Amino acid sequence: MTGVGGAVIDAVPPAVKDWAIAVFGTADKLALLVGMGLAIAALAALAGLLESRRRFAGFAVIAVFGVVGLVAVLGRAQVTGNAVALPLLAAGTGILVLRWLMSRLRDWTTAATAGERPAPATMGERPAPATMGERPAPAAGPGAGPGAGPDRRRFLQALGGGAVAATVGGVLAAWLRGAAAAVSEVRSKLALPSAASPAPPVPAGAELTLDGMDPLVTPNQDFYRIDTALTVPAVDPDTWVLKVTGLVEREIELDFATLLAKPLTERHVTIACVSNEVGGDLIGNALWLGWPVRELLAMAGPKNGADMVLSRSKDGWTAGTPLEVLTDDRDALLAVGMNGEPLPLEHGFPVRLVVPGLYGYVSATKWLTELKVTRFADDVGYWTPRGWSERGPIKTSSRIDVPRAGSPVRAGTVAFGGVAWAQHTGISKVELRVNRGAWQPVELAPGISRDTWYQWRLSLPLTPGLYEIQVRATNLDGVPQIEERSQVAPDGATGFHTIRVDVTP
Ligand SMILES: Nc1nc2c(c(=O)[nH]1)N[C@H]1C(S)=C(S)[C@@H](COP(=O)(O)O)O[C@H]1N2
Ligand SMILES: [Mo]
């Protein structure tokens, strides 16, 4: 049996590892969950089986799967503390549960009394802690299955149950993929009208030429994605309607053709996630095409006392946005276009909200279906009862992108560069300091508008040695970015982005 255990351990990792990376990387989240559930059930059964034959063989299986989960997680684009902790936690829990089950099983088989049955084991994934920044993280470790072995009937029943679940899951996944494919097809044939109010031209010099900088306008395929949707909602524009409800003089139903016939506005807007860590990449700048929300709200006529709009998506997710922000003169849009094409499905096709100045969780509803005019006293957005602030104005922030972490830096003239943002207020100044010395002004590129990020750069003569470099931005009201470090919850991170640079001769 040691041989079998060893062979399993040797054989499983590469295959499971590749599979896990492929699945984490590309497949949709339902396929991921169904697959994970099945793999976990199978692994748990295997662990139980091996453990019942030989002590610690099951532990080994779980431990290996935990390591595989860790490797898979580290292979992902966005690695967060949670994502790393999860496989370790899952493996640890799996081992504890297995131990407990085995001891139960031993008691149960030796006592051979009918009264006590082993408790049903969980097979699905453990609920992950609700963090917004991450897409719901898969439990990359095993759960624990029934203690198979002596009780063949139970084992076969579990196997049968697993097969049924696999079939149902497979059919469901195929159906969802079919719906998404049909909507993708409609999207690819859609021609958006040109803007009645085109975007002001990008000022000369707004995009700095410096190796390693992010592009000034983020390509759609590189745009960060955050949402709670396990599968991307497939919304057919031909049947889509937006309802305006609640505290309004006139309720409105707007269909897609009517929306496209409105005079559309095109603007660059940088949107950001409240879960963006200092120095993080949950931020992107796109050219959005849409109809100003204030026009629609003016048609509906908000009643006195209303101070919030609860926007709702196809999948039930909601955001609470101050009414004032949606009715003032900023370009809050019912967006249909992103960088010259219809919204990608993952970014809210066919219609989403884009609101300059607010974090996405209180404004940027994708797959939009309803605007309920209401009051903060009466309604809450999805994240507010989950530990996030009712209001979410974007905090003035800045980031160092060049030199990139890990790229070698040679003594001499060292180029630094990055971005700074304070949406709807704008940036007046960016400064850098070396080893906590005096703040030095950098070259600040002209912004596209107050609603987008600004690029900056600075060259410094540096001799060999270790340096700590920090950046800070000041907004156009003259308010500098907050120095004190704070976590992303409940209303966005603060603190200066700080990098360490090892300058070599
Ligand atoms: N329907 C729906 N819309 C949503 C969310 C969501 O979970 N569901 N997340 C919001 C959050 S938290 C952010 S930061 C932005 C991200 O938009 P993006 O994925 O297009 O970058 O979408 C917002 N819109
Ligand atoms: Mo977000």
Side-chain angles (χ1 to χ4, degrees):
M1 274 323 290
T2 353
V4 173
V8 167
I9 289 160
D10 287 339
V12 164
V16 173
K17 197 188 105 182
D18 291 347
W19 166 82
I21 290 172
V23 166
F24 280 132
T26 57
D28 71 38
K29 295 184 215 169
L30 182 79
L32 187 152
L33 291 185
V34 170
M36 289 304 287
L38 285 172
I40 287 166
L43 243 117
L46 179 70
L49 205 69
L50 289 176
E51 186 70 15
S52 71
R53 303 274 163 87
R54 191 184 178 93
R55 252 197 119 191
F56 299 119
F59 289 17
V61 169
I62 291 175
V64 164
F65 202 59
V67 170
V68 167
L70 198 65
V71 168
V73 158
L74 292 174
R76 287 159 80 192
Q78 279 168 27
V79 180
T80 66
N82 270 332
V84 172
L86 217 67
L88 297 176
L89 217 92
T93 318
I95 287 173
L96 288 178
V97 171
L98 177 67
R99 241 175 91 177
W100 177 76
L101 275 173
M102 292 315 290
S103 75
R104 289 287 309 254
L105 188 68
R106 246 167 259 130
D107 293 352
W108 182 53
T109 46
T110 52
T113 46
E116 211 194 350
R117 318 279 302 166
T122 45
M123 280 166 64
E125 60 158 11
R126 238 169 301 286
T131 30
M132 173 179 336
E134 279 181 287
R135 309 191 192 164
D151 195 343
R152 255 182 87 188
R153 224 183 70 208
R154 278 183 153 254
F155 180 68
L156 290 175
Q157 277 173 356
L159 218 63
V164 169
T167 311
V168 169
V171 168
L172 194 68
W175 178 76
L176 284 166
R177 248 194 296 277
V183 171
S184 289
E185 180 74 11
V186 173
R187 177 186 176 276
S188 68
K189 294 197 170 120
L190 194 70
L192 293 177
S194 53
S197 170
V202 173
E207 181 144 33
L208 296 171
T209 43
L210 182 59
D211 274 356
M213 292 281 276
D214 277 358
L216 185 62
V217 180
T218 315
N220 288 355
Q221 68 271 16
D222 299 337
F223 211 92
Y224 82 95
R225 177 188 163 199
I226 295 292
D227 54 66
T228 59
L230 283 177
T231 53
V232 177
V235 182
D236 181 354
D238 290 336
T239 54
W240 177 86
V241 280
L242 174 63
K243 295 192 166 101
V244 185
T245 63
L247 299 173
V248 289
E249 299 297 342
R250 292 159 295 279
E251 295 210 335
I252 293 179
E253 286 201 3
L254 180 75
D255 63 30
F256 195 62
T258 310
L259 174 58
L260 289 193
K262 300 291 184 189
L264 303 183
T265 293
E266 197 162 39
R267 293 289 182 271
H268 287 98
V269 177
T270 300
I271 66 169
C273 184
V274 68
S275 292
N276 194 31
E277 309 272 357
V278 171
D281 58 5
L282 300 180
I283 177 166
N285 183 40
L287 179 61
W288 306 96
L289 174 72
W291 190 40
V293 191
R294 63 173 178 273
E295 309 274 347
L296 178 63
L297 289 172
M299 282 172 60
K303 289 183 172 163
N304 279 343
D307 63 3
M308 186 247 251
V309 173
L310 189 76
S311 52
R312 182 177 296 274
S313 76
K314 172 78 174 182
D315 65 355
W317 187 86
T318 54
T321 310
L323 177 65
E324 198 197 335
V325 167
L326 297 179
T327 48
D328 69 15
D329 64 358
R330 81 186 70 196
D331 299 304
L333 299 177
L334 292 164
V336 294
M338 183 178 184
N339 291 329
E341 46 178 272
L343 293 175
L345 264 58
E346 315 83 69
H347 294 291
F349 183 81
V351 183
R352 75 173 301 170
L353 281 174
V354 172
V355 182
L358 302 188
Y359 288 121
Y361 82 105
V362 288
S363 70
T365 305
K366 307 189 274 189
W367 315 290
L368 183 69
T369 58
E370 186 188 349
L371 296 176
K372 180 186 180 190
V373 179
T374 178
R375 307 187 317 152
F376 277 105
D378 298 334
D379 277 296
V380 286
Y382 180 87
W383 282 112
T384 300
R386 292 170 171 81
W388 300 83
S389 173
E390 180 184 80
R391 317 262 172 156
I394 294 177
K395 294 174 178 174
T396 302
S397 306
S398 52
R399 196 176 75 188
I400 305 168
D401 291 337
V402 177
R404 292 273 169 195
S407 68
V409 179
R410 288 280 135 79
T413 305
V414 179
F416 292 87
V419 281
W421 60 93
Q423 286 90 320
H424 209 57
T425 307
I427 293 291
S428 63
K429 183 167 71 172
V430 175
E431 298 157 294
L432 222 60
R433 71 176 174 189
V434 180
N435 296 338
R436 314 247 163 180
W439 287 106
Q440 313 181 40
V442 308
E443 174 192 349
L444 181 63
I448 299 175
S449 80
R450 297 181 299 160
D451 296 337
T452 64
W453 58 17
Y454 298 55
Q455 295 191 341
W456 62 264
R457 77 175 157 200
L458 179 69
S459 289
L460 292 174
L462 293 180
T463 53
L466 265 177
Y467 296 90
E468 182 200 71
I469 312 287
Q470 293 183 298
V471 66
R472 85 166 171 192
T474 300
N475 74 15
L476 271 167
D477 291 339
V479 182
Q481 165 178 350
I482 297 167
E483 174 163 15
E484 192 195 330
R485 283 226 153 218
S486 71
Q487 297 302 303
V488 293
D491 62 359
T494 61
F496 300 149
H497 187 207
T498 303
I499 64 166
R500 271 161 201 89
V501 182
D502 186 3
V503 177
T504 54

